C-alpha cells in the first residue's frame, strides 16, 4: 500500500465521524474508501470496481462521472456561487421551482427548497401546523406515520420515524406523533392472502388513529409511496385511494414522503403519480440532483400556500375551498428557512439533471426495463434463504428467511453473524455495493442507478446468488 493510502486510512479512523457507523467494526479492518465513479460503477482507493447497487444512497439516478452535471455546477459557481432565498430569488431556483411545479401532480405548484430530505420533512410538518393555525384550526398539529418507516434524523423527522431503536437514545423527541401499520403484506397480521382487503384494512387504521387522537388535533399523515425501511413495501391496490378519502373526511393533510421515490426511482417523476393519488405535499431530495450537489424540497398545493401568498393572490381565492381560506388576511409569513436551501449550484445542477432525464428518456427506460429487473431478481426465489422479493421500478427489497415454508425470520444472533457478519461484507467483497438492513426483518436493499440495464441486473443476481447460497449454509 502506498504511503498516501496509509495516511488516508489512518486519518479516516482518527478524524472522520462516519454516519450510522459502528466505528468499532473498523478496529481491525480498513475503512472502505471510494474514490471515483463511472456510470453504474464505483471504484475504491485500490482501484477495485463495484456495481453501485444502491445508487449511493438512493441518490445517483444518472450514475457517476456525468461531466454535463459537473459543468453545470462549475458554470453556476462562476456566475453566482451563493445567495439565499430569504426575501430574494435567483434564476436557477426560480426555474427549478417552475419546472418541478410542472411535473408535480395536480395543484402542487409551490416549491420550498431545503438542503436535504430530513429538512423537507421538517418543513412539511411545520407548514401543516402553521397552515391550520392561520386558517382557524389551531389545535391541528399531530402527525400519523407508519411502523418501521424512516423519515430522517432531525428531531421532528425522527419523531415521525417509526423505528423505536433509532429513537431511544434521543428521547424525549418532539411529542404528538403516532404510528399505524405499514403495508408489509408478506407479514400481514390479517388478510395476507387478499391484497385489496389488506390495503383497505391498513388504510382504515389511519382513520382509527385519527379518531383515537381526535380529528381536531391531527394535522397530517406522512407516507412513502413505497416504504423503504423494512425492505420495500409497495402499496396494495386501492390503499392510497382510501387514504385520500380518509384525509379528506377528517381534513388531514396527506404528505407523500418521496425522498427516495421521486425522480424516476419508480419510473415516474413522482411516486404518487405511479399509484394515482393526489398528495397535499410532497417531500423530496436525493435523486433531484442525482447527487451532484445536495438539495431537497417540500412541494405544497395552492391551498396550503394561499394564506402565505400575499395580496396579489387574492384573486385566486375563489379556487380555494371556503373552509381553507385564510381568516387572518393573506399576509402571513411562513417563518422558516435554511441558509443553503435552494443553493444556486444545487438548483442549477437539478435543472440540468432533469433536462437529461428528458433528453435520455430516463423514466421511459425505467418503465420499459423494470419488468426485466424484477424477473431477474425473482430468479433468486429458488434459494431457500430468499423469502420474498418485493418492490417496484428500480427499487427492491429481498427478505431473507430461516425457513421459507413457515417464513421464520432470523434470530438476533443470526442477523449479527449472517446478515452483517457475512452477507453485507461478502457482497461488497464480491463487487456489489448494496445494503443489508435489519430495521424490520432482514433484507437486502437494491436501488441501482436508473441507467442500469440487463447486464447490471444479471451481475447483481449472480453476486447475490453466490453470497446468499453460502449464507444459507451458515444457518
Ligand atoms: N425521508 C425518507 C423517506 C428517506 O428515505 C430519507 C433518507 N434516507 C429521509 C427522509 C431523510 O433524508 P436526508 O438523509 O436527506 O435528511
Amino acid at each position: 500500500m502506498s504511503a498516501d493510502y496509509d495516511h488516508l486510512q489512518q486519518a479516516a479512523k482518527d478524524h472522520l465521524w462516519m454516519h450510522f457507523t459502528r466505528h468499532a467494526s473498523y478496529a481491525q479492518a480498513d475503512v472502505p474508501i471510494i474514490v471515483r465513479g463511472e456510470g453504474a460503477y464505483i471504484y475504491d482507493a485500490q482501484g477495485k470496481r463495484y456495481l453501485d447497487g444502491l445508487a449511493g444512497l438512493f441518490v445517483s439516478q444518472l450514475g457517476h462521472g456525468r461531466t454535463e452535471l459537473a459543468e453545470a455546477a462549475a458554470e453556476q459557481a462562476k456566475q453566482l456561487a451563493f445567495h439565499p432565498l430569504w426575501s430574494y430569488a435567483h434564476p436557477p431556483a426560480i426555474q427549478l421551482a417552475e419546472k418541478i411545479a410542472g411535473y408535480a401532480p395536480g395543484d402542487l405548484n409551490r416549491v420550498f427548497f431545503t438542503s436535504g430530505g430530513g429538512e423537507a420533512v421538517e418543513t412539511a410538518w411545520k407548514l401543516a401546523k402553521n397552515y391550520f393555525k392561520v386558517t382557524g384550526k389551531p389545535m391541528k398539529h399531530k402527525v400519523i406515520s407508519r411502523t418501521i418507516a424512516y423519515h430522517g434524523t432531525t428531531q421532528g423527522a425522527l419523531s415521525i420515524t417509526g423505528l423505536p431503536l433509532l429513537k431511544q437514545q434521543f428521547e424525549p423527541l418532539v411529542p404528538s406523533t403516532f404510528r399505524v401499520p405499514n403495508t408489509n403484506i408478506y407479514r400481514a397480521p390479517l388478510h395476507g392472502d387478499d391484497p385489496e382487503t389488506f390495503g383497505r384494512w391498513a388504510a382504515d387504521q389511519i382513520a382509527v388513529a385519527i379518531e383515537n387522537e381526535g380529528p381536531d388535533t391531527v394535522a397530517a399523515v406522512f407516507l412513502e409511496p413505497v416504504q423503504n425501511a423494512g425492505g420495500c413495501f409497495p402499496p396494495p391496490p386501492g390503499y392510497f385511494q382510501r387514504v385520500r378519502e380518509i384525509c379528506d373526511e377528517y381534513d388531514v393533510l396527506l404528505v407523500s414522503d418521496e425522498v427516495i421515490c421521486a425522480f424516476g426511482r419508480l419510473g415516474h417523476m413522482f411516486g404518487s403519480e405511479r399509484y394515482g393519488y393526489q398528495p397535499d405535499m410532497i417531500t423530496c431530495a436525493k435523486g433531484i440532483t442525482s447527487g451532484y450537489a445536495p438539495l431537497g424540497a417540500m412541494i405544497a398545493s395552492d391551498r396550503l400556500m394561499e394564506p402565505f401568498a400575499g395580496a396579489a393572490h387574492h384573486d385566486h381565492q375563489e379556487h380555494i375551498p371556503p373552509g381553507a381560506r385564510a381568516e387572518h388576511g393573506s399576509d402571513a409569513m411562513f417563518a422558516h428557512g435554511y441558509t443553503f436551501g435552494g443553493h444556486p449550484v444545487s438548483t442549477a445542477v437539478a435543472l440540468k439533471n432533469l433536462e437529461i432525464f428528458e433528453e435520455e428518456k430516463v423514466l421511459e427506460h425505467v418503465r420499459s426495463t423494470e419488468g426485466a429487473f424484477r424477473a431477474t431478481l425473482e430468479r433468486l426465489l429458488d434459494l431457500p434463504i430468499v423469502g420474498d422479493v418485493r418492490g417496484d421500478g428500480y427499487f427492491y427489497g429481498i427478505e431473507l428467511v430461516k425457513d421459507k415454508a413457515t417464513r421464520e425470520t432470523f434470530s438476533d444472533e443470526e442477523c449479527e453473524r449472517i446478515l452483517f457478519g457475512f452477507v453485507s461484507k461478502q457482497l461488497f467483497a464480491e463487487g456489489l455495493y448494496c445494503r443489508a438492513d435489519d430495521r424490520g426483518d432482514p433484507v437486502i436493499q437494491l436501488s441501482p442507478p436508473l441507467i442500469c440495464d440487463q447486464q447490471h441486473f444479471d451481475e447483481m443476481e449472480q453476486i447475490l446468488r453466490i453470497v446468499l447460497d453460502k449464507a444459507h449454509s451458515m444457518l
Side-chain angles (χ1 to χ4, degrees), residues 58 116-119 121 150-152 224 228 257 259-260 285-286:
F58 318 94
E119 286 181 0
V121 170
Y150 179 89
H151 293 286
E224 292 163 86
N228 173 44
D257 184 354
V259 168
I260 291 176
K286 296 192 187 263

Side-chain angles (χ1 to χ4, degrees), residues 186 380-381 383-389 398-401 404 468:
Y186 185 67
L380 295 166
L381 282 166
L383 299 175
I385 197 171
V386 174
D388 197 21
V389 173
I398 297 174
E399 180 167 338
L400 307 184
V401 287
K404 203 156 166 149
L468 294 179

Side-chain angles (χ1 to χ4, degrees), residues 93-381:
I94 300 167
Q95 289 157 4
L96 183 62
E98 184 183 29
K99 202 168 180 72
I100 289 175
Y103 286 132
D107 69 341
L108 265 65
N109 289 321
R110 199 55 85 140
V111 185
F112 190 104
F113 289 114
T114 65
S115 329
E119 286 181 0
V121 170
E122 292 293 336
T123 302
W125 188 6
K126 285 179 75 176
L127 178 61
K129 288 163 116 175
N130 197 161
Y131 172 78
F132 284 121
K133 285 203 177 15
V134 298
T135 55
K137 295 186 176 178
M139 291 280 284
K140 275 186 171 288
H141 68 286
K142 295 176 186 170
V143 166
I144 290 167
S145 58
R146 296 187 291 198
T147 52
I148 319 190
Y150 179 89
H151 293 286
T153 51
T154 54
Q155 299 209 39
L158 188 57
S159 177
I160 294 173
T161 291
L163 293 156
L165 286 176
L166 215 62
K167 300 164 80 161
Q168 66 184 11
Q169 297 302 316
F170 310 104
E171 297 283 4
L173 287 165
V174 182
S176 309
T177 69
F178 302 87
R179 242 59 59 204
V180 292
N182 59 44
T183 58
N184 181 359
I185 194 164
Y186 185 67
R187 299 203 175 274
L190 292 166
H191 315 300
D193 51 355
D194 177 355
E196 274 175 28
T197 309
F198 172 65
R200 172 91 191 187
W201 171 82
D204 281 345
Q205 300 316 299
I206 294 173
V208 172
I210 294 170
E211 287 284 356
N212 284 347
E213 285 309 310
D216 291 350
T217 69
V218 180
V221 50
F222 280 65
L223 307 171
E224 292 163 86
V226 173
Q227 179 173 322
N228 173 44
C232 273
F233 306 137
Y239 175 79
F240 275 112
Q241 287 62 38
R242 178 69 190 130
V243 171
R244 183 68 264 178
E245 276 172 17
I246 292 165
C247 287
D248 288 343
E249 184 184 339
Y250 292 107
D251 196 12
V252 166
L253 303 175
L254 172 53
V255 182
S256 191
D257 184 354
E258 308 204 7
V259 168
I260 291 176
C261 292
F263 306 109
R265 182 60 45 210
L266 300 173
H268 294 264
M269 271 304 170
F270 293 100
S272 36
E273 218 183 311
R274 176 167 184 137
Y275 302 117
Y277 64 95
Q278 179 62 45
D280 298 291
M281 285 184 252
I282 289 176
T283 50
C284 58
K286 296 192 187 263
I288 192 171
T289 62
S290 284
Y292 285 74
L295 184 67
M298 182 282 295
I299 314 166
S301 66
D302 288 339
R303 171 196 170 192
L304 297 181
M305 179 62 187
E306 195 275 335
F308 308 97
H313 280 256
H314 276 164
D315 293 349
H316 299 304
Q317 281 233 6
E318 69 269 19
H319 301 303
I320 311 288
R325 287 184 194 167
E327 289 182 359
H328 306 286
S330 114
D331 56 357
M333 172 178 70
F334 182 39
H336 178 70
Y338 302 98
T339 301
F340 283 155
H343 191 284
V345 171
S346 303
T347 43
V349 167
L351 275 169
K352 190 71 193 171
N353 184 47
L354 297 178
E355 201 182 299
I356 298 174
F357 266 61
E358 284 171 15
E359 278 166 18
E360 297 185 4
K361 301 199 181 332
V362 171
L363 302 179
E364 291 84 343
H365 173 69
V366 172
R367 291 204 293 263
S368 66
T369 51
E370 65 167 310
F373 186 32
R374 175 190 289 275
T376 308
L377 294 179
E378 281 180 346
R379 285 190 222 143
L380 295 166
L381 282 166

Side-chain angles (χ1 to χ4, degrees), residues 384-386 400-404 408-411 413-415 417-419 422-423 442 468-475:
I385 197 171
V386 174
L400 307 184
V401 287
K402 197 167 165 177
D403 183 325
K404 203 156 166 149
E408 184 185 350
T409 194
F410 289 11
S411 64
E413 183 274 329
E414 285 158 344
C415 264
R417 182 167 55 83
I418 298 173
L419 189 68
F422 177 72
V423 173
L468 294 179
D469 214 26
K470 280 192 207 149
H472 182 247
S473 67
M474 296 167 68
L475 274 167

